[in-house]
Amino acid sequence: METLYSVRLEGLAANPSAPEDILLRILEHAEHRIRAALVHRAGVPDAVYDAITRHPDPRTRRLLTMDGRVPAGLRARLAADPDPTVRMAVAWGPDVRWDRAEPLPPETVARLAADPDSRVRHALCELAALPADVRAGLAADPDPAVRRNALQLWRDPPPEAVDAALDDPDPDVRRQAMLHGYRRHPELVAPLLAEGCEGVAADAVLDRAQAAALCRHERAGMRAAAAANPSLPPDLVAVLAADPAAEVRLAVSLRPELTEAERAAIDYRIGPRDRPRPPPWFRDRLGDAELLRRCATSAHVGLRRLAAHSPHLPADLVTLLAADGDFTVRALLAEHHPGAPGELLLAVTLESRHPARFERLGHPNFPHAGLARLAGSPDPVARMLAIRDPAASAEVVERLSRDGEPRVRAAAAGDARLPVARLLELLDDPAAARSAAGNPGLPEPSMRRILYDVAIL
């Protein structure tokens, strides 16, 4: 149960100024939720890392495998853990947010690929940086579930691996091989379409009979998939342009070969926050400059939203879409383009109502300087951002620590510029106590008092 005392302890576990002995006491005596805060903090001392690898609770040892800041050597040590769930977590690797995590040593990957527990080998298939020779070995694993997972997650398996799996004794492995092999083996298209596989309907080279049957399919999703298929004959494109289902007409309207006039003649609908899933023909051409230009300059907002998915947009198109009148275009650009302008990142963060909007704060282009001007904004999110200005004064931070909005007080409570007297007051504010306990300016006697209050000291 969460109490004011446990909330303070959780904040203290993440405090960058907390002494090593305090962190070790928390690791030894606190509940799992609070130990998680300690593991996922920045700047974990080596002695604490070492103690975590020896912790008796496997859930705590697993925490080390999920954070991309943990050195690969430490994660590799856990590949020999006696608990298979820990070894599985090592195989999975850090959370996808840590795309720059240090990779495991090759010998550790080989060890995991030979683990006696098939669940560990199955988990290893999820590792994005898995070497091709290791994945090939897993695709021939004795366990059919491992073989299927290895093949499913193999982005571009070699033809010989796919063809071997087409003769696999396990039906799930054979089906996964069919999904990889239908482009080279047209005879596989028909059975996959019969199963209702929309990905194949959108991407396979269709013969006339298959295309016509898809245009009459009872499921609108299959008709919409066919409407996105580049091999669909023009007369059938025209049929689907008048389909009774809005999703089908929208898919037709996004076809790359249509003129602007032909698109405008289709009764398509797209909501202000709809995000059309990029069809296969677009995903395969994210770096096609000519296609991106046509999409980014189209009157069709759906095509502009597709263009905003590409991380390869040239600078002039980034500038164009950053000023687009459609919020979703701008939001997608901020989400996907590494060169998104700082003004765009700030504007989208303020305008969005999606929880993921705060992920943009870590973007290298996010403009922290000058945010103090937002301290008087009626928008609580803007006031929270004001605290991130490195030039914000201690007076501004203290004023925001008394804000009527709990989220703003919590943001101010963690700021090192906050005067100590006010910081100590916020330890008694349920909305701000966690942040206050994590403030690097918290005096050490106050840290030890937090341990005393929960009977750890």
Side-chain angles (χ1 to χ4, degrees):
M1 184 175 125
E2 192 173 87
T3 66
L4 184 61
Y5 298 119
S6 68
V7 162
R8 290 174 183 161
L9 188 62
E10 186 175 6
L12 179 59
N15 192 312
S17 298
E20 189 177 282
D21 69 302
I22 285 181
L23 298 179
L24 288 170
R25 283 183 176 275
I26 292 173
L27 178 65
E28 182 180 359
H29 298 288
E31 61 183 294
H32 181 72
R33 171 176 62 86
I34 294 168
R35 294 199 299 268
L38 188 153
V39 174
H40 295 320
R41 55 177 277 142
V44 178
D46 289 344
V48 176
Y49 268 146
D50 185 65
I52 295 169
T53 65
R54 295 181 282 102
H55 198 280
D57 186 346
R59 295 180 305 161
T60 299
R61 302 197 300 275
R62 285 201 303 268
L63 290 171
L64 276 183
T65 70
M66 303 173 191
D67 195 311
R69 290 171 293 202
V70 176
L74 268 178
R75 289 185 277 122
R77 280 172 57 183
L78 293 173
D81 195 277
D83 191 300
T85 67
V86 176
R87 303 197 304 274
M88 286 168 61
V90 176
W92 269 316
D95 185 273
V96 292
R97 295 177 299 125
W98 304 105
D99 57 347
R100 296 184 182 178
E102 185 183 1
L104 290 169
E107 59 272 19
T108 301
V109 174
R111 176 176 189 151
L112 293 167
D115 195 279
D117 194 311
S118 65
R119 295 174 298 170
V120 177
R121 305 194 304 273
H122 188 278
L124 187 63
C125 298
E126 308 276 345
L127 194 65
L130 195 62
D133 61 328
V134 177
R135 193 173 294 280
L138 293 170
D141 193 271
D143 189 309
V146 176
R147 298 198 301 274
R148 182 198 58 77
N149 207 32
L151 201 59
Q152 180 180 3
L153 297 170
W154 204 340
R155 185 180 295 276
D156 190 18
E160 58 271 20
V162 174
D163 291 347
L166 287 171
D167 294 323
D168 196 277
D170 184 85
D172 290 336
V173 176
R174 292 198 304 272
R175 185 181 186 278
Q176 195 57 55
M178 290 170 67
L179 290 171
H180 278 300
Y182 68 84
R183 296 176 185 85
R184 289 187 302 107
H185 298 286
E187 70 276 10
L188 300 177
V189 171
L192 289 170
L193 292 179
E195 289 182 18
C197 184
E198 293 181 8
V200 175
D203 186 51
V205 176
L206 304 170
D207 62 32
R208 177 75 194 189
Q210 290 167 339
L214 283 171
C215 291
R216 298 189 301 269
H217 202 282
E218 61 181 358
R219 274 177 43 213
M222 286 292 280
R223 300 198 305 278
N229 191 309
S231 71
L232 194 69
D235 61 314
L236 295 181
V237 171
V239 169
L240 292 181
D243 193 275
E247 67 176 294
V248 178
R249 300 194 304 275
L250 175 60
V252 174
S253 74
L254 295 171
R255 291 182 65 89
E257 77 275 12
L258 298 185
T259 66
E260 289 290 286
E262 288 170 333
R263 290 186 213 290
I266 299 171
D267 179 25
Y268 65 84
R269 301 170 198 168
I270 185 165
R273 304 282 167 153
D274 289 346
R275 296 183 169 208
R277 180 182 300 174
W281 63 260
F282 184 83
R283 292 198 302 269
D284 293 341
R285 299 170 64 185
L286 285 175
D288 185 329
E290 181 184 350
L291 173 65
L292 291 175
R293 191 163 298 279
R294 290 204 311 271
C295 291
T297 58
S298 175
H300 193 312
V301 69
L303 281 176
R304 302 200 306 277
R305 291 178 187 177
L306 288 183
H309 280 86
S310 174
H312 308 298
L313 281 169
D316 65 318
L317 295 183
V318 171
T319 300
L320 178 70
L321 294 181
D324 199 279
D326 179 72
F327 170 77
T328 302
V329 169
R330 301 194 307 274
L332 286 167
L333 181 66
E335 181 178 331
H336 292 284
H337 203 283
E343 318 85 72
L344 172 71
L345 297 169
L346 175 59
V348 168
T349 300
L350 289 172
E351 189 176 347
S352 175
R353 293 296 175 264
H354 195 280
R357 62 181 168 175
F358 295 110
E359 293 178 3
R360 299 183 183 92
L361 300 182
H363 193 290
N365 290 350
F366 195 91
H368 296 276
L371 290 178
R373 70 184 185 277
L374 302 175
S377 171
D379 180 1
V381 171
R383 300 197 300 276
M384 290 169 64
L385 292 179
I387 298 163
R388 291 179 167 267
D389 187 338
S393 66
E395 291 76 19
V396 166
V397 176
E398 180 170 12
R399 174 159 55 86
L400 291 172
S401 78
R402 303 179 188 279
D403 198 276
E405 169 61 49
R407 292 177 297 169
V408 178
R409 295 200 306 278
D415 194 281
R417 292 164 292 191
L418 191 66
V420 171
R422 177 59 184 152
L423 172 58
L424 297 179
E425 291 174 355
L426 288 168
L427 287 172
D428 293 320
D429 181 339
R434 181 183 284 105
S435 295
N439 191 309
L442 187 68
E444 187 173 323
S446 298
M447 296 183 186
R448 298 192 182 279
R449 177 70 196 194
I450 290 172
L451 295 186
Y452 179 84
D453 286 341
V454 291
I456 286 181
L457 190 64

